[in-house]
Amino acid sequence: PYAGPVESKNEAAMSELVPESRQKPVVPMKPMGINANLLGYIGIDTIIEQMRKKTMKTGFDFNIMVVGQSGLGKSTLVNTLFKSQVSRKSSGWNREEKIPKTVEIKAIGHVIEEGGVKMKLTVIDTPGFGDQINNENCWEPIEKYINEQYEKFLKEEVNIARKKRIPDTRVHCCLYFISPTGHSLRPLDLEFMKHLSKVVNIIPVIAKADTMTLEEKTEFKQRVRKELEVNGIEFYPQKEFDEDLEDKTENDKIRQESMPFAVVGSDKEYQVNGKRVLGRKTPWGIIEVENLTHCEFALLRDFVIRTHLQDLKEVTHNIHYETYRAKRLNDNGGLPPMTVETEENHESNL
């Protein structure tokens, strides 16, 4: 007789324990303001874009040295290379100016901006090189300057409280201007490149190539290449620094066909077939600087700026600077010699 009410009580308890069915909450729509890239593709290759942004903020340093006798068009060529007045303008010495007794080193810095990329370009000129009657050891001031820049970088690097970004004044590239004689390299050319090829990236350039015929130019280039090989002079890009087969194939072509670049520089524009072109006006026509059938300036520009600029910087840091650093630290038992000034700096840093 009591079963009925007990069952009804149990059923009532069960009904209390069972949760009520609720409606699912409405999912809010994605706000329109959120960047689609953040919610889109994620992969490790996005690091390239991160590196690009970071590098664009910090900018680049590139230091180029020009070496050669006066009157070979060094300043004009560098201005043509970067399409702006980046080198000192000197069309020979003025009558009032005296020819320097020794080689002077003049560094001129510029900031070039293109497409949001900033590059601090420093052009190092060497007036007085090879202009004397006695040119014995005239490369020594240049070698000293290059080593001084390595020393500056090393001192900053071994500081206790060193800068986050060390200013880079090291010479990344040296354009060596060869006089267009058509015969052979002078003993001065060979001695300079023999000494300096161990400490800097040398790119040989035949200046004012419009003074030779096409046949003379081809023969002279072959002769220069042979002389450099016979004398064991390594110019950039060096064979031993090729990292893989692709680099080797590309650089072999440059070493065997293009080097040394026979170039013509000009910062004047002329009208040719309705287009404004950089060129040099002669009685028989206009020599177009960027025309490959006229000269190899375009090849040099692509080589230095478009394809090998970063490699020039890396070879300078990983090969030439590392060689200097290892020798310097080894000679001084691991650290540069402590002077009173460096001791005081260290104490103040501590």
Side-chain angles (χ1 to χ4, degrees):
Y2 296 101
V6 171
E7 282 174 7
S8 62
K9 278 181 185 177
N10 287 342
E11 282 172 7
M14 290 281 287
S15 65
E16 283 175 12
L17 291 170
V18 173
E20 293 178 9
S21 59
R22 292 179 184 177
Q23 287 185 344
K24 288 183 180 179
V26 179
V27 179
M29 289 180 68
K30 184 175 79 175
M32 296 302 288
I34 294 178
N35 189 352
N37 293 334
L38 293 175
L39 303 170
Y41 169 74
I42 296 171
I44 56 168
D45 54 350
T46 55
I47 195 170
I48 295 166
E49 181 61 20
Q50 295 170 40
M51 288 167 70
R52 189 186 72 83
K53 284 181 181 175
K54 204 170 181 70
T55 313
M56 278 179 74
K57 281 180 189 174
T58 53
F60 299 89
D61 289 310
F62 188 63
N63 309 313
I64 185 167
M65 177 181 267
V66 286
V67 182
Q69 277 183 302
S70 297
L72 290 179
K74 300 189 296 294
S75 302
T76 306
L77 185 82
V78 173
N79 290 340
T80 316
L81 202 61
F82 296 97
K83 290 198 173 178
S84 56
Q85 294 291 326
V86 293
S87 184
R88 66 184 184 93
K89 190 68 183 164
S90 64
S91 53
W93 297 101
N94 297 328
R95 288 182 181 180
E96 295 80 23
E97 270 187 80
K98 289 182 179 178
I99 296 174
K101 289 181 182 178
T102 56
V103 180
E104 291 180 5
I105 312 289
K106 294 183 179 180
I108 304 157
H110 303 269
V111 175
I112 298 175
E113 190 168 351
E114 189 178 333
V117 180
K118 280 184 183 177
M119 183 168 80
K120 191 188 174 190
L121 173 72
T122 305
V123 178
I124 302 121
D125 207 345
T126 56
F129 178 82
D131 293 342
Q132 307 302 316
I133 294 169
N134 179 11
N135 288 308
E136 190 179 359
N137 300 336
C138 67
W139 59 81
E140 283 180 356
I142 297 169
E143 189 173 15
K144 186 186 171 191
Y145 176 86
I146 291 166
N147 286 328
E148 277 171 2
Q149 307 320 305
Y150 291 147
E151 183 66 21
K152 261 189 208 175
F153 197 89
L154 177 61
K155 280 184 177 174
E156 285 289 345
E157 212 175 37
V158 298
N159 267 348
I160 294 170
R162 63 183 181 184
K163 295 172 185 173
K164 186 181 177 184
R165 188 165 180 265
I166 300 170
D168 193 358
T169 58
R170 298 169 297 180
V171 181
H172 300 122
C173 169
C174 173
L175 292 180
Y176 187 80
F177 285 69
I178 298 164
S179 187
T181 58
H183 296 291
S184 60
L185 291 172
R186 298 170 304 160
L188 176 61
D189 299 330
L190 293 168
E191 282 299 315
F192 176 89
M193 287 191 265
K194 205 176 279 183
H195 281 85
L196 273 290
S197 61
K198 294 165 188 170
V199 295
V200 71
N201 296 317
I202 289 180
I203 299 175
V205 170
I206 298 169
K208 297 193 172 180
D210 52 330
T211 58
M212 296 185 284
T213 64
L214 294 174
E215 292 79 14
E216 286 171 344
K217 186 172 74 176
T218 306
E219 284 176 20
F220 189 42
K221 277 167 68 95
Q222 288 172 352
R223 199 173 291 127
V224 168
R225 275 199 298 268
K226 194 172 181 182
E227 282 188 48
L228 291 172
E229 193 181 337
V230 167
N231 287 277
I233 296 165
E234 285 283 337
F235 52 83
Y236 180 85
Q238 297 93 328
K239 289 177 186 176
E240 62 264 34
F241 305 150
D242 293 340
E243 291 184 358
D244 52 35
L245 189 63
E246 188 185 344
D247 282 358
K248 188 181 184 305
T249 308
E250 186 186 344
N251 290 339
D252 274 345
K253 192 179 178 185
I254 292 163
R255 284 187 285 258
Q256 291 162 16
E257 294 175 18
S258 303
M259 289 286 185
F261 295 98
V263 297
V264 178
S266 174
D267 46 14
K268 290 182 182 176
E269 287 190 342
Y270 295 95
Q271 195 89 11
V272 177
N273 299 328
K275 289 182 182 178
R276 301 288 293 174
V277 295
L278 286 169
R280 287 171 60 86
K281 197 172 184 179
T282 63
W284 52 86
I286 290 168
I287 296 157
E288 295 172 42
V289 167
E290 293 172 314
N291 189 335
L292 281 173
T293 56
H294 292 195
C295 80
E296 294 168 354
F297 169 79
L299 289 176
L300 173 67
R301 184 186 58 199
D302 283 3
F303 176 67
V304 172
I305 299 171
R306 192 170 67 85
T307 59
H308 285 71
L309 190 144
Q310 183 59 28
D311 191 58
L312 281 162
K313 287 163 67 73
E314 284 177 9
V315 170
T316 300
H317 181 76
N318 298 331
I319 309 296
H320 298 305
Y321 170 67
E322 281 300 316
T323 305
Y324 177 86
R325 180 179 165 278
K327 185 178 182 299
R328 185 81 173 78
L329 295 180
N330 191 46
D331 289 350
N332 294 290
L335 282 172
M338 291 287 283
T339 61
V340 175
E341 189 183 338
T342 53
E343 279 178 9
E344 285 173 1
N345 287 342
H346 284 189
E347 281 172 15
S348 63
N349 287 336
L350 289 166

